[in-house]
């Protein structure tokens, strides 16, 4: 393996100059920097991460804190993780996954041992035990989600309140007078994550504004449970029923339950779900979706933490950014009245 000494010899500079080019700790002329970088490329030289961290006092690693709780929908979580990791690499950062095994102390450990330069926090609860620790840590943090007390924190998330309103308004415009909200599964609701409350708030506001009756049924983890919830909602619905399923874990269950009950999407019932375009378009009847834009939220979270790490003068002491959701109409919804 080539070493920094080999690079220095080929570039005709001292080994310390090579070190300064890699760490950025001292100004180096553009001509000399170019010779060193060309030598690195010619030798396929890869700086030792440990040595570079010692020299720069940076690990070039971002901690990604995710509590892996029971019933967590891993497909949705992986959408975030894959985009976060890819976006971080574009800025020369790696990702260290920090699970909830150690609780908030795990964040203190990875920061205290200088394993990470900053943190991205996911699955934020309303009263999240990690928040008091985050406030005290000497590294920047960006939260994907919003705790009840967000003062002094950088938060980014989809605009779930707007998403709830968009779903109800869409179905009301189609002519549905009654809408059934298939809620998040009990394990998620019990964690008091803020996005559930915000989605409910948007649904309730739009229902009041449009005169739409909303029936709320709990999310289920089995087909039998979903069929029971759907049957109950159908008894309280006049005319063609309409359903909203904002949790990806409920999408397959709801579609199969309606099929088992003899209802054809887009003919006997309208359905708006949260799932990826790829999944929505692969269905027998393509699904109308409300998208919470996980890719965009993930990219913006990484851009924020990288900006905080590379330009400390622009670091926000407090910020709240909401990404607009996207509703895409497909064939699982039916128009009951002419469009105005």
């Amino acid at each position: 393996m080539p070493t920094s000494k080999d690079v220095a010899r080929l570039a005709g500079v001292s080994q310390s100059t090579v070190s300064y080019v890699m760490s950025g700790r001292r100004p180096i002329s553009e001509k000399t920097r170019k010779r060193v970088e060309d030598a690195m490329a010619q030798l396929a030289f890869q700086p030792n991460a440990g040595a570079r961290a010692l020299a720069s006092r940076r690990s070039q690693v971002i901690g990604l804190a995710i509590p892996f709780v029971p019933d967590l929908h891993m497909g949705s979580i992986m959408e975030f993780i894959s985009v976060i990791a890819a976006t971080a690499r574009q800025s020369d950062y790696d990702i260290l996954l920090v699970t909830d095994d150690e609780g908030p102390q795990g964040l203190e450990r990875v920061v205290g041992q200088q394993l990470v330069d900053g943190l991205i926090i996911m699955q934020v609860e309303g009263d999240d035990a990690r928040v008091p620790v985050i406030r005290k840590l000497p590294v920047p943090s960006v939260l994907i989600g919003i705790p009840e007390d967000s003062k002094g924190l950088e938060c980014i998330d989809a605009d779930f309140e707007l998403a709830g309103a968009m779903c109800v308004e869409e179905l009301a415009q189609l002519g549905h007078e009654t809408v059934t909200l298939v809620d998040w599964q009990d394990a998620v609701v019990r964690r008091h994550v803020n996005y559930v409350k915000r989605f409910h708030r948007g649904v309730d506001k739009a229902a009041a504004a449009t005169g739409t009756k909303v029936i709320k049924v709990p999310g289920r983890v089995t087909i039998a449970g979903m069929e029971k919830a759907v049957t109950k909602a159908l008894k309280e619905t006049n005319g063609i029923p309409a359903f909203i399923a904002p949790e990806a874990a409920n999408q397959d269950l709801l579609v199969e339950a309606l099929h088992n009950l003899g209802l054809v999407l887009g003919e006997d019932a309208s359905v708006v779900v949260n799932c990826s375009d790829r999944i929505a378009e692969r269905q027998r009847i393509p699904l109308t979706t409300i998208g919470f834009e996980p890719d965009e939220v993930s990219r913006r979270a990484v851009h924020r933490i990288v900006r905080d790490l590379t330009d400390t003068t622009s670091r926000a002491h407090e910020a709240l950014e909401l990404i607009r959701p996207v509703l895409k109409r497909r064939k699982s919804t039916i128009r009951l009245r002419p469009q105005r």
Side-chain angles (χ1 to χ4, degrees), residues 15 68 98 144 150 180 208 243 249 259 295 323:
Q15 193 172 358
F68 287 110
V98 184
I144 297 180
S150 60
T180 297
F243 296 86
H259 175 73
D295 289 5
I323 305 301

Side-chain angles (χ1 to χ4, degrees), residues 277-298:
D277 291 342
R278 179 179 58 82
I279 291 174
E281 291 166 0
R282 285 175 55 189
Q283 304 298 310
R284 183 188 299 111
I285 297 171
L287 300 171
T288 294
T289 56
I290 183 70
F292 301 139
E293 300 300 284
D295 289 5
E296 183 64 17
V297 170
S298 299

